[in-house]
Amino acid sequence: VFGGLHTLDEMSRDYQQPFYGSYENIGVSYLAPKDAWRLITNPTDDFVLNYEPYAVERIIAETGGQPYLVQQICRDALDHLNHELFDLELRREVCITLADVTAVLEEDFFRRGTVYFDGVWTQASDYHQQVLLCAIAHCDEPCTLSQLKAITGMDEQILLQQLRWAQHHDILYKTDSDRWAFHVPLMQRWIRNREMPRRTSTFPHSLGS
């Protein structure tokens, strides 16, 4: 069993061994909301920690059900709760609240989760892929194809090729209204804070602040 960011179809281009002609790809994507809810609130039969419903909803919304990020937020929120209970000796309910989740989703969270965020960004090795992700990251709402053409200045065929790449890797998805958005809002926030790709002088200005 091999697990990773690249499919065996992609990896096999770099190998000549006969093994790479006899495998089956099994896609592993994000958790459905009900599965993410269960992972957060009841990961084991003897789990006793309570979560405020709004806290669970925020975790699922920010991660899009990405298991690594779900678990990291839960771990960080528990550390925050323990810090207030035992280090600060605050009198509070032993329950992870929306305030606990909000408190851990600051800039330090992206440093702690750098393995995930860097891993996804590393997949975008092509300049056009980086431009596409930065364009959508700087939009407050999902983008239409025509909006992305205007923002990036890409030829439509190149743009469609990059959108298919991002969809294939579960970075972007197409909404019911034919708009493009990030599966993981935290990934969008991480990219938004990065420097822009450098091969054009007009692209950054077209995104606004």
Side-chain angles (χ1 to χ4, degrees):
V1 176
F2 292 87
L5 296 172
H6 299 283
T7 66
L8 285 175
D9 287 334
E10 294 168 329
M11 292 171 61
S12 64
R13 298 169 190 166
D14 301 323
Y15 296 90
Q16 300 299 321
Q17 289 88 340
F19 165 78
Y20 285 96
S22 57
Y23 60 80
E24 178 183 358
N25 282 318
I26 300 175
V28 180
S29 188
Y30 306 112
L31 296 171
K34 64 180 180 63
D35 296 321
W37 193 288
R38 186 169 64 249
L39 174 64
I40 295 167
T41 61
N42 190 33
T44 62
D45 292 338
D46 57 351
F47 190 73
V48 295
L49 180 64
N50 290 323
Y51 277 79
E52 185 180 78
Y54 289 123
V56 180
E57 291 172 358
R58 176 76 186 277
I59 295 171
I60 296 173
E62 292 284 3
T63 64
Q66 208 288 332
Y68 177 87
L69 296 178
V70 168
Q71 291 181 319
Q72 181 178 325
I73 294 176
C74 291
R75 182 179 63 246
D76 291 351
L78 178 58
D79 289 344
H80 183 266
L81 172 64
N82 287 334
H83 173 65
E84 292 198 340
L85 287 173
F86 301 109
D87 298 331
L88 303 181
E89 298 183 348
L90 299 182
R91 296 175 61 88
R92 55 163 294 179
E93 183 181 3
V94 184
C95 173
I96 290 181
T97 67
L98 177 59
D100 294 316
V101 173
T102 300
V104 302
L105 289 177
E106 298 298 332
E107 291 310 307
D108 278 352
F109 177 84
F110 295 95
R111 176 180 54 78
R112 292 189 296 272
T114 187
V115 171
Y116 171 78
F117 297 113
D118 282 342
V120 174
W121 183 252
T122 299
Q123 294 181 77
S125 56
D126 182 86
Y127 169 75
H128 292 100
Q129 295 167 356
Q130 295 179 2
V131 168
L132 170 64
L133 296 183
C134 284
I136 299 181
H138 283 78
C139 293
D140 294 328
E141 301 291 339
C143 297
T144 64
L145 182 63
S146 59
Q147 287 173 325
L148 289 173
K149 286 176 60 178
I151 294 172
T152 64
M154 286 189 206
D155 174 80
E156 183 170 326
Q157 292 304 311
I158 294 177
L159 179 58
L160 287 172
Q161 179 183 358
Q162 306 313 322
L163 286 168
R164 286 192 294 268
W165 163 82
Q167 188 176 36
H168 177 69
H169 285 276
D170 284 339
I171 301 172
L172 302 178
Y173 73 99
K174 194 174 185 180
T175 70
D176 293 339
S177 57
D178 287 339
R179 294 173 178 267
W180 292 89
F182 277 86
H183 272 290
V184 180
L186 285 171
M187 188 72 224
Q188 177 176 6
R189 182 174 158 189
W190 184 85
I191 293 176
R192 183 178 290 190
N193 293 333
R194 291 185 60 85
E195 292 183 3
M196 297 293 181
R198 295 183 177 180
R199 276 181 47 186
T200 175
S201 60
T202 58
F203 173 62
H205 299 290
S206 65
L207 294 175
S209 58

